[in-house]
Amino acid sequence: MPKRVLLIGGNFSPEPTGIGKYNGEMINWLVENGYQCTVITSYPYYPQWEVQKPYDRHKRWYTKEVSHGGNLKVYRCPQYVPAQPTGKKRMLLDLSFSMSAFFKLLQLIPGKKHDLVITVAPSFQLGLLAVLYKKLRGAQFLYHIQDLQIEAARDLQMIRSDKLINMLFGVERYILKRADVVSSISDGMMQRIGQKIPGRVQFFPNWVDTSLFFPVDDKAALKQEYGFQPTDKVILYSGAIGEKQGLEAILHTAKAMRNRPDLKFVVCGSGPYKSKLEAMAAQLELSNVIFYPIQPFEKFNRFLNMADVHLVIQKAGASDLVMPSKLSTILAVGGLALVTANPGSGLHALVDKYQMGILVNAEDQQALNEGVALAVSGESAGITGNARAYAAEHLAISGVMGRFEEIVVNRNQQLC
């Protein structure tokens, strides 16, 4: 009989980026490899911070989707989605989904037992729902941490109450102690989690489909396809556009390099901060900055290959708290990544170890300017080859999910 898996997570397919993308691909892989999967999730809203069509018609109540011959059931739950997310509004979003997911879980508990229940943080408190299911039905519990949400909220000053932060850490410790397997996506995050709980934290990195994302040689033709000259140097940021990344630094670099008409700075994506960036670029009269919407999936490989430099921008406090999901795709296409990360952080150590990107200090405008100048100079030979080799060896979805089966499923009493 196929193994049965229950995923509880606030983000899921068809969200094109971030945690929703990885949750969707993970469940799709499991279903295609003989598992019966159930998902409790919300309606797709990220990175636009608005429930997308046609899901918006039902966003105030529960819906059920069945596919893959009945082997995948997706229950979508209503939640509050702020158009302009702040620290407090994100907490309300998390709380609203946790409550609606709790009522859906209560409906599923009496049904056929799931062998494994997975929650993906953020939102960290969803682990409480998995603990409940484990206690009532005896399932194994995998707690997978994509972001260290509480530390990020504290260090980025999204939550400033020490009392509230300590309470949240207490809830997190309760969840961690009751999980059968705890996993995360980077060495730095695993080390931080390991300081909170005894036992080994498993490594499950964010993967990439290396058959869909790969290097394309004719960069000049790709640039013309997107309206640039073959001689232009395209510096691309592609991903969610929020305040925590410090993306205004891109505009300041563009301003500092206006004497280089061949340099084109492209900001591609969606998010609550995009309109502010566009207004700032207009105020600074930056004709060398171009904003693009999210690109269709079927064209995304060509779009990424068009760029000469890929910007991975983060604030200093985030380098060990989050692992930018965009980096795995950049590596897969053999892109030249310019990464803001300080020495001592997990992200810096990873990129430096495999020599697969240019590193500059986070929140250092001069360092970013100099990094862009170095990247477009052509003096970074070998980095792009290292990037593709790392993706092929360490980030292919078949390898990551095969290891998932070996460590989580087979170790946990051979679920059946």
Side-chain angles (χ1 to χ4, degrees):
M1 178 182 294
K3 296 174 269 293
R4 294 175 56 82
V5 176
L6 170 63
L7 169 68
I8 306 172
N11 300 91
F12 191 68
S13 178
E15 290 183 348
T17 62
I19 294 173
K21 170 182 179 292
Y22 290 109
N23 282 349
E25 290 174 353
M26 174 180 68
I27 291 298
N28 186 66
W29 189 93
L30 290 172
V31 170
E32 290 180 352
N33 283 271
Y35 293 79
Q36 291 182 348
C37 296
T38 301
V39 179
I40 299 177
T41 189
S42 64
Y43 293 93
Y45 70 91
Y46 187 81
Q48 298 88 352
W49 289 92
E50 179 181 16
V51 176
Q52 297 298 289
K53 296 180 178 180
Y55 296 92
D56 58 330
R57 293 181 295 177
H58 307 289
K59 64 182 180 180
R60 300 188 186 280
W61 197 241
Y62 297 88
T63 59
K64 177 182 178 181
E65 304 165 10
V66 181
S67 62
H68 295 79
N71 289 324
L72 174 58
K73 297 177 182 178
V74 178
Y75 295 92
R76 297 195 183 269
C77 307
Q79 70 173 357
Y80 164 70
V81 178
Q84 297 294 329
T86 62
K88 291 182 179 179
K89 289 179 179 179
R90 286 172 183 260
M91 291 176 63
L92 288 174
L93 177 145
D94 291 345
L95 179 62
S96 67
F97 175 70
S98 297
M99 292 178 62
S100 63
F102 168 72
F103 289 113
K104 177 54 62 177
L105 183 66
L106 289 181
Q107 293 179 344
L108 298 182
I109 283 174
K112 194 169 183 179
K113 174 188 170 183
H114 293 83
D115 307 292
L116 174 67
V117 56
I118 303 171
T119 58
V120 178
S123 299
F124 84 93
Q125 72 272 14
L126 294 178
L128 294 173
L129 302 183
V131 171
L132 175 64
Y133 191 87
K134 174 182 176 178
K135 287 186 174 183
L136 295 178
R137 298 306 308 267
Q140 299 291 326
F141 169 27
L142 166 63
Y143 191 53
H144 182 60
I145 301 173
Q146 285 271 3
D147 287 0
L148 289 169
Q149 186 181 22
I150 305 172
E151 286 91 338
R154 178 197 63 195
D155 296 351
L156 300 176
Q157 296 189 330
M158 298 174 71
I159 300 177
R160 301 188 181 187
S161 168
D162 291 339
K163 185 176 181 180
L164 177 57
I165 288 291
N166 290 333
M167 183 192 74
L168 297 177
F169 276 130
V171 174
E172 183 189 45
R173 284 193 297 272
Y174 175 86
I175 296 169
L176 290 169
K177 289 179 180 179
R178 285 154 182 81
D180 297 288
V181 179
V182 177
S183 62
S184 194
I185 61 176
S186 73
D187 289 339
M189 291 175 64
M190 291 165 61
Q191 290 173 10
R192 289 208 176 195
I193 298 164
Q195 295 170 2
K196 303 177 183 183
I197 55 170
R200 183 181 177 188
V201 180
Q202 298 294 335
F203 178 49
F204 292 131
N206 284 336
W207 53 77
V208 63
D209 191 331
T210 52
S211 67
L212 295 176
F213 294 97
F214 52 86
V216 175
D217 292 331
D218 196 353
K219 193 177 293 289
L222 291 175
K223 289 178 182 178
Q224 290 180 304
E225 183 178 323
Y226 286 95
F228 299 101
Q229 296 298 317
T231 55
D232 286 339
K233 299 291 186 181
V234 178
I235 300 102
L236 172 66
Y237 172 86
S238 179
I241 303 176
E243 290 190 61
K244 73 177 182 179
Q245 290 98 333
L247 299 181
E248 60 276 0
I250 299 172
L251 305 187
H252 296 309
T253 297
K255 180 181 178 182
M257 307 186 86
R258 280 193 291 196
N259 63 329
R260 291 282 306 271
D262 60 320
L263 301 188
K264 308 297 183 183
F265 293 81
V266 177
V267 179
C268 173
S270 180
Y273 198 54
K274 184 175 183 178
S275 60
K276 293 183 181 179
L277 281 183
E278 290 175 323
M280 189 182 303
Q283 184 179 12
L284 294 173
E285 299 180 344
L286 298 177
S287 59
N288 57 345
V289 177
I290 304 98
F291 290 87
Y292 273 71
I294 296 174
Q295 296 298 295
F297 179 81
E298 60 273 13
K299 296 182 178 181
F300 198 44
N301 185 61
R302 295 178 64 80
F303 181 75
L304 291 177
N305 272 278
M306 174 265 299
D308 297 281
V309 183
H310 297 262
L311 300 177
V312 182
I313 306 291
Q314 291 191 123
K315 290 187 176 180
S319 296
D320 262 344
L321 307 180
V322 297
M323 186 68 175
S325 59
K326 66 179 70 65
L327 181 57
S328 59
T329 313
I330 294 170
L331 298 176
V333 301
L336 178 57
L338 175 57
V339 183
T340 62
N342 292 340
S345 69
L347 180 57
H348 187 284
L350 178 67
V351 174
D352 183 59
K353 177 180 179 180
Y354 292 95
Q355 292 294 294
M356 56 187 185
I358 297 174
L359 288 159
V360 299
N361 287 340
E363 298 186 68
D364 185 333
Q365 189 64 55
Q366 184 60 32
L368 180 61
N369 295 355
E370 292 173 357
V372 169
L374 173 62
V376 299
S377 71
E379 298 179 6
S380 305
I383 290 179
T384 56
N386 294 343
R388 174 63 185 182
Y390 180 86
E393 183 175 353
H394 297 282
L395 302 181
I397 185 172
S398 57
V400 174
M401 288 304 299
R403 187 168 178 271
F404 169 91
E405 276 197 304
E406 180 182 348
I407 292 178
V408 178
V409 177
N410 295 337
R411 192 178 83 171
N412 286 322
Q413 307 300 322
Q414 296 183 346
L415 305 177
C416 63

